[in-house]
Amino acid sequence: MAAPISKEEATMAGEEEATAAAESTGRRRRSGVEVLVSQDTSPSPPQCPHGPTLLFVKVSQGKEEARRFYACSACRDRKDCNFFQWEDEKLSEARLAARETHNRRCQPPLSHMQYVKRYWKFIELPLSQRKFCQTCQQLLLPDDGGKHFDHQVLCDISIAQLRRPSQLLYPLENKKTNAQYLFTNRSCQFLLDLICTLGFRKVLCVGTPRLHELIRLKASGDKESDVKSLLLDIDFRYSQFYMEDNFCHYNMFNHHFFNGKAAFETCRKFLQEDKDVGLILVADPPFGGLVEPLAVTFRKFMDMWRETQSPDNNSKELPLFWIFPYFFESRILQFFPSFSMLDYQVDYDNHTLYKHGKTGRKQSPVRIFTNIPPNKIILPIEEGYRFCTMCQRYVSLENQHCEICNSCTSKDGRRWKHCLLCKKCVKPSWIHCSICNYCALPNHSCAGAKDGCFICGEADHKRTTCSNFSAPKRANKAVRKQKPKKRNKMKMETTKGQSMNHATVRRKKKKKRRGHQYPCS
């Protein structure tokens, strides 16, 4: 149940290809599975272990092809959550009861209140008895020892460690479900400094546990700090470390609070109380996230915040930092036209690609989308940002101002070039395609030649029979196909009459299959 292109797909396919795919969605009708989101909640959608499901439909060339169906809002892979139900399907009472039992079984073993009680007992223990089970990812009380005797256990857990739970807990790195990548100290500190500079004193942290940690650490170490935060996250393990007014178990794709009305009221109270105090929402959705349901969720937060605003402020929006890759800019602006994208590169501790300081395609594509005017946001000069007097905003050093576009046009940190035919700036590696009539990668598949030749664009033949397709390439391809067969034949001849280690052969075959099955591992 994926969007046409996602963050994780961008990681696997390459940033250039992902950008091209995202750009192409505006030029031709999309095919695939699309999510149907609506503010209307009637009739109520069925529920899976992750809360209310979302309605999907298979689309081809912009037209619905099949029956609509419900699937999990949080998991893009059926292996992670196999919920599936046709929109018009009628279920028996037995199946509904079995589903409800399954959903309850998948919930956390303890309630948030029970976790809080365990926490207070834990911190009262002497240091030598404070233990954390890395296998089960939970704080241990003396009575729990027998269940974890053969597990990997950390001892002497200090109060300082309890204040940094994201360093105790293993990140959930299922790329299609949780994708729990954590800000580096650099990005986290920048966000907090920026929030304080802009005058915000309350932060609603949606999927940003490390920022929530840093705010609480600053508040505990600095008596003058009056910044408060509330963490909403789908990772229930944080219930072990935070009180009920500091953390809510939450799914941002369907605006679902797992602890029901009490957690919802905690969030509503945080948004609406102290209305004269500046409040901002900071969201870092997981990789593979769908833009449409996220936009609906953020609108609900905005509406909730606006309920207590004075009539003079009804036209204002809740300040928001939406952290997402730059190639989703057009999609985000469809839902929030007032947003703009900052040049600041957000990087993550436990992601091999999304790192600051790298060059070209290796640098982080993650940016900050916000409804705060860019001229109010100062980016650090020491990290390679400068102020453009013509654009009246901070940009990266490589982002040069285009006199024709009258803007600093680069999105990825490289210097872009202007295409007179497209009448806009494009990536330096792109060229103008006379068939597609827009700029794209040199080896792209032409939209105009979809049913014919990808090289010359003619519809009466295919690429392999095109006169522009050089014979040496075909010959090389044929040789490559023959070589493996020859090597296999020679190998069989050399092993003839000798005893073979069948276990070794099986292991090699199994390893080869795993390599094909998990190309990104």
Side-chain angles (χ1 to χ4, degrees):
M1 288 16 123
I5 189 70
S6 71
K7 280 204 244 183
E8 187 51 43
E9 290 163 341
T11 303
M12 293 187 289
E15 176 194 324
E16 296 272 1
E17 291 78 3
T19 310
E23 289 284 332
S24 67
T25 58
R27 300 190 188 100
R28 59 176 179 264
R29 294 176 181 177
R30 293 179 292 173
S31 297
V33 176
E34 290 188 0
V35 61
L36 304 175
V37 291
S38 173
Q39 295 281 2
D40 185 15
T41 57
S42 57
S44 298
Q47 296 212 7
C48 72
H50 303 93
T53 54
L54 295 179
L55 185 61
F56 293 87
V57 64
K58 188 176 181 181
V59 174
S60 179
Q61 299 300 317
K63 298 179 180 178
E64 294 187 13
E65 269 196 344
R67 293 161 67 186
R68 298 180 178 187
F69 61 91
Y70 290 103
C72 180
S73 63
C75 301
R76 292 175 49 232
D77 197 325
R78 292 281 297 278
K79 293 178 182 178
D80 300 314
C81 182
N82 62 0
F83 185 96
F84 182 92
Q85 180 182 324
W86 295 112
E87 182 187 24
D88 55 358
E89 185 178 2
K90 302 298 182 183
L91 301 183
S92 65
E93 292 296 329
R95 282 190 63 187
L96 289 173
R99 176 182 292 172
E100 189 174 345
T101 302
H102 171 71
N103 290 347
R104 282 199 303 269
R105 192 181 298 122
C106 293
Q107 296 311 305
L110 300 176
S111 68
H112 196 167
M113 186 180 296
Q114 289 173 315
Y115 279 124
V116 170
K117 289 179 180 178
R118 286 176 59 89
Y119 177 83
W120 288 119
K121 291 180 181 178
F122 184 87
I123 61 176
E124 289 175 356
L125 296 172
L127 184 63
S128 59
Q129 294 185 30
R130 292 187 201 152
K131 298 177 182 180
F132 177 78
C133 179
Q134 291 183 305
T135 306
C136 300
Q137 293 286 280
Q138 72 177 64
L139 299 173
L140 300 182
L141 295 177
D143 296 340
D144 302 329
K147 304 174 186 176
H148 307 269
F149 71 95
D150 58 343
H151 292 179
Q152 188 171 356
V153 176
L154 289 178
C155 300
D156 302 334
I157 302 299
S158 65
I159 297 298
Q161 287 176 292
L162 293 175
R163 289 175 177 171
R164 300 300 300 264
S166 69
Q167 296 182 357
L168 273 178
L169 300 170
Y170 287 133
L172 302 174
E173 294 182 356
N174 185 320
K175 295 164 184 169
K176 294 183 178 181
T177 307
N178 301 291
Q180 194 178 51
Y181 298 115
L182 303 169
F183 295 143
T184 58
N185 289 334
R186 162 195 165 268
S187 292
C188 206
Q189 190 63 56
F190 166 77
L191 285 169
L192 181 55
D193 291 344
L194 179 59
I195 287 167
C196 294
T197 302
L198 293 171
F200 297 109
R201 293 297 174 262
K202 296 178 72 175
V203 186
L204 183 62
C205 298
V206 183
T208 58
R210 191 154 281 182
L211 178 62
H212 180 65
E213 277 179 18
L214 188 60
I215 293 172
R216 290 179 57 80
L217 280 172
K218 183 178 176 65
S220 63
D222 183 1
K223 293 182 180 180
E224 296 182 359
S225 175
D226 56 351
V227 181
K228 300 177 182 178
S229 66
L230 172 64
L231 175 63
L232 309 182
D233 202 285
I234 199 168
D235 187 356
F236 76 89
R237 297 176 301 173
Y238 286 104
S239 301
Q240 302 177 84
F241 303 91
Y242 296 125
M243 303 301 105
E244 293 167 291
D245 57 346
N246 296 134
F247 169 73
C248 295
H249 187 200
Y250 174 77
N251 182 353
M252 71 177 78
F253 291 103
N254 54 12
H255 195 55
H256 176 67
F257 292 85
F258 289 90
N259 291 333
K261 189 175 181 180
F264 175 82
E265 285 300 318
T266 298
C267 179
R268 186 194 62 79
K269 182 178 177 181
F270 186 83
L271 282 169
Q272 296 182 354
E273 280 193 350
D274 303 323
K275 59 183 179 181
D276 295 329
V277 176
L279 184 146
I280 185 171
L281 188 156
V282 182
D284 183 30
F287 293 5
L290 297 167
V291 174
E292 292 88 340
L294 289 171
V296 170
T297 292
F298 298 151
R299 283 290 182 199
K300 290 178 179 178
F301 282 125
M302 289 179 171
D303 293 340
M304 198 186 307
W305 171 81
R306 193 178 289 117
E307 287 176 5
T308 57
Q309 298 299 306
S310 64
D312 297 336
N313 291 336
N314 276 342
S315 59
K316 292 185 178 180
E317 286 185 332
L318 168 67
L320 194 152
F321 286 161
W322 182 347
I323 299 168
F324 228 45
Y326 71 83
F327 40 79
F328 279 100
E329 182 182 22
S330 61
R331 299 287 301 282
I332 291 175
L333 294 182
Q334 287 177 9
F335 296 96
F336 298 104
S338 62
F339 277 36
S340 57
M341 186 181 76
L342 306 181
D343 262 20
Y344 186 83
Q345 293 182 18
V346 180
D347 56 344
Y348 298 86
D349 261 345
N350 54 323
H351 197 293
T352 56
L353 298 181
Y354 294 178
K355 296 291 185 183
H356 171 72
K358 295 186 177 181
T359 58
R361 291 174 57 181
K362 294 182 179 180
Q363 58 194 318
S364 172
V366 184
R367 301 292 185 269
I368 301 172
F369 295 88
T370 181
N371 50 3
I372 299 172
N375 59 359
K376 293 184 178 181
I377 297 176
I378 300 174
L379 302 186
I381 297 174
E382 64 276 9
E383 292 185 12
Y385 299 98
R386 64 178 180 84
F387 186 76
C388 177
T389 55
M390 289 176 282
C391 292
Q392 285 294 297
R393 68 184 182 101
Y394 277 84
V395 296
S396 63
L397 289 175
E398 296 81 7
N399 192 357
Q400 299 298 312
H401 193 88
C402 175
E403 299 295 339
I404 303 173
C405 297
N406 193 27
S407 174
C408 292
T409 53
S410 173
K411 309 292 184 185
D412 62 0
R414 294 180 292 170
R415 185 170 184 172
W416 286 18
K417 61 183 181 181
H418 190 86
C419 175
L420 295 173
L421 296 174
C422 289
K423 298 180 180 180
K424 67 176 183 178
C425 287
V426 298
K427 288 190 174 186
S429 55
W430 288 16
I431 61 172
H432 192 86
C433 176
S434 58
I435 300 169
C436 301
N437 198 29
Y438 57 77
C439 287
L441 288 167
N443 59 346
H444 74 285
S445 297
C446 295
K450 188 175 181 181
D451 297 325
C453 177
F454 289 164
I455 298 176
C456 66
E458 297 295 332
D460 58 347
H461 63 274
K462 297 293 184 182
R463 176 178 65 89
T464 52
T465 58
C466 180
S467 58
N468 295 327
F469 186 58
S470 61
K473 285 185 179 179
R474 285 196 294 267
N476 290 338
K477 188 175 181 181
V479 170
R480 286 196 300 270
K481 284 184 176 180
Q482 292 176 1
K483 280 184 178 180
K485 294 180 180 179
K486 188 175 181 180
R487 285 198 297 268
N488 290 340
K489 185 176 180 181
M490 292 174 62
K491 185 176 180 181
M492 291 299 293
E493 288 174 354
T494 57
T495 57
K496 189 176 180 180
Q498 301 176 7
S499 61
M500 295 182 65
N501 188 338
H502 294 289
T504 304
V505 173
R506 283 197 298 271
R507 281 198 298 270
K508 287 182 178 179
K509 287 183 177 180
K510 190 175 181 181
K511 185 176 181 181
K512 187 176 180 181
R513 283 199 299 271
R514 284 202 303 267
H516 289 297
Q517 188 176 0
Y518 306 109
C520 60
S521 60

